[in-house]
Amino acid sequence: MDAEKLADVNNPDGSEDDPLSSLPLPSSVISKLKDEGFIHVTDVKGLRPTELHAITGINLKDCLAVVRAVRKDTDVQTVNATPLVVQEENNSPHISTFCRGLDNILGGGFAIGSITELAGSPGIGKTQLCLQACISVQFPPTLGGLGGESVFIDTEGKFSAVRLKDIAVHAVQRVKTMTTSLDVNLEPTVESLLRGIHYYRCYNCLEVLAAVRRVCALQKECQRIKLLVIDSIAYPFLYDDYESELVGLKSFTTQELQELVNNHNMAVIITNYLTIRGDGHSVDLVGELGEMWGHYPTVRLILHWESGERVASVTKAPHLCNAAAKYEVRVAGIEDIESIAVCNSFGIKKEGLKRQPLLHSGY
């Protein structure tokens, strides 16, 4: 072992003259620190996490990691929970589903910085919900969107451009029924909504991984993409020919997805199949791909039938209570059963909307 490597082993935290890039920190954090003039370990030495946050704007959790990495003792750095709560509340935008019941149980919709898994049987509305999210993410924040674009990775060939256009047409009609008039230049059109969706058709695990990495590259270039959809994540891993490599491919894919949500301010929605897991005393509906995969999604939404009605149940979410909501799949998209208006909080006039017919259960 040469002297340089030996020095790294004996001093893993680095000396004060070492660059911050030598520390075990995410590249995105290192980049933000460099932008603010923090190049060497000594530049951060002595700063508290709250002070570093105030100077750089880096979130407090990452600031804790930075301060801990540059320290040479074993003291655990802490901060008061109050600023963490305020930060999460202020930096947690959502993509509305335009279904009041679903938005309520999801805490406002699909959250940025989270991987949301939609697990359910065929025909329950998983793809419909994904298509609707690809539309709503393009709306401005005042209308429940993020003013961004989306990427749709299709592994089963179930993507329907005609169906997407139907949802876009009705979404534009919703905007026109707003009580407060919008700037005509900001009003979305069907064409602009369709242009804001980037479509990839993938046939195996390698192509899925390549597409996800391409999304990472696109996001670094333009910062416009705010949503990634994979419909479905299970299909290529259950029916691919690379049996000996599936574990590694699954690991690489999940790592890339985690990078998107953690470092690129995006939301990820993945669909999955349902399977049954039991211990002899009880039986639960769970997603495919095994128990280890179950730890990766931040939020799991089980879509199932109950007395002939579609029901969505939150079964995993660190920031949400387990709850359920009923919904319908109609021509206009996902809607509440009990209400014609999708969500009054967006200023939609009830009298301006007509109840659309149900879609065939095959969707």
Side-chain angles (χ1 to χ4, degrees):
M1 181 178 295
D2 56 40
E4 183 178 351
K5 292 183 178 179
L6 183 60
D8 290 340
V9 171
N10 292 332
N11 187 16
D13 289 326
S15 70
E16 294 186 359
D17 293 329
D18 284 342
L20 287 169
S21 57
S22 65
L23 300 178
L25 295 169
S27 58
S28 59
V29 174
I30 296 294
S31 178
K32 291 178 182 177
L33 288 170
K34 287 183 178 179
D35 291 342
E36 297 298 330
F38 294 93
I39 308 299
H40 298 92
V41 172
T42 186
D43 298 333
V44 183
K45 193 75 172 179
L47 288 177
R48 298 175 181 175
T50 50
E51 294 172 336
L52 189 60
H53 165 67
I55 297 172
T56 65
I58 299 174
N59 68 65
L60 278 172
K61 292 180 181 178
D62 286 337
C63 288
L64 279 169
V66 172
V67 172
R68 181 68 185 90
V70 301
R71 291 179 66 91
K72 294 184 179 180
D73 53 43
T74 57
D75 290 344
V76 177
Q77 292 292 302
T78 61
V79 294
N80 188 286
T82 300
L84 290 174
V85 172
V86 173
Q87 180 176 288
E88 286 196 9
E89 290 179 342
N90 293 336
N91 298 327
S92 300
H94 292 78
I95 302 168
S96 175
T97 66
F98 290 105
C99 173
R100 185 176 58 237
L102 292 184
D103 281 348
N104 285 342
I105 65 174
L106 289 172
F110 297 114
I112 290 297
S114 294
I115 299 176
T116 302
E117 179 186 63
L118 307 178
S121 57
I124 199 67
K126 301 187 298 296
T127 301
Q128 303 297 307
L129 193 50
C130 291
L131 292 176
Q132 189 151 313
C134 288
I135 294 294
S136 59
V137 71
Q138 300 181 59
F139 289 171
T142 53
L143 297 179
L146 299 174
E149 299 178 357
S150 64
V151 172
F152 195 109
I153 297 177
D154 178 16
T155 67
E156 298 187 51
K158 293 184 177 179
F159 180 91
S160 171
V162 173
R163 180 70 189 113
L164 182 64
K165 184 177 180 180
D166 285 341
I167 297 175
V169 168
H170 287 86
V172 171
Q173 292 176 355
R174 284 195 185 101
V175 174
K176 292 181 178 179
T177 60
M178 295 290 293
T179 55
T180 303
S181 61
L182 298 174
D183 185 336
V184 67
N185 295 322
L186 298 178
E187 289 187 6
T189 64
V190 174
E191 291 74 17
S192 68
L193 292 175
L194 296 180
R195 283 197 304 270
I197 301 171
H198 307 270
Y199 174 74
Y200 291 86
R201 176 68 170 101
C202 297
Y203 294 89
N204 55 54
C205 302
L206 289 173
E207 292 184 358
V208 171
L209 179 58
V212 172
R213 287 180 170 173
R214 177 57 180 157
V215 174
C216 291
L218 286 173
Q219 183 64 354
K220 290 177 181 178
E221 292 173 6
C222 64
Q223 301 289 317
R224 285 281 299 163
I225 299 173
K226 296 298 181 182
L227 171 66
L228 168 64
V229 170
I230 303 179
D231 184 27
S232 72
I233 191 67
Y235 187 83
F237 288 103
L238 292 177
Y239 302 106
D240 211 328
D241 295 329
Y242 300 95
E243 293 185 8
S244 61
E245 303 174 13
L246 286 182
V247 175
L249 288 172
K250 192 187 302 183
S251 176
F252 282 128
T253 302
T254 52
Q255 288 175 22
E256 298 291 340
L257 293 178
Q258 290 289 350
E259 180 182 346
L260 284 173
V261 298
N262 293 335
N263 301 330
H264 296 289
N265 201 32
M266 287 180 58
V268 172
I269 303 174
I270 55 177
T271 68
N272 198 357
Y273 302 147
L274 275 182
T275 187
I276 297 176
R277 181 179 62 192
D279 57 6
H281 301 285
S282 62
V283 175
D284 295 321
L285 291 175
V286 297
E288 282 279 10
L289 299 183
E291 185 175 352
M292 183 59 68
W293 165 259
H295 295 287
Y296 291 117
T298 314
V299 177
R300 175 170 294 108
L301 202 62
I302 299 292
L303 309 180
H304 56 100
W305 294 96
E306 188 174 295
S307 301
E309 294 180 322
R310 291 178 170 91
V311 178
S313 300
V314 175
T315 61
K316 176 192 175 185
H319 59 295
L320 301 172
C321 298
N322 287 359
K326 296 180 179 180
Y327 64 96
E328 290 180 334
V329 179
R330 295 186 171 272
V331 173
I334 304 296
E335 293 187 353
D336 291 284
I337 289 180
E338 73 280 1
S339 175
I340 297 176
V342 179
C343 189
N344 281 332
S345 63
F346 298 131
I348 297 175
K349 297 179 180 178
K350 283 189 177 182
E351 62 271 19
L353 296 176
K354 294 183 179 180
R355 195 170 181 81
Q356 299 297 326
L358 284 165
L359 284 179
H360 188 273
S361 60
Y363 286 95

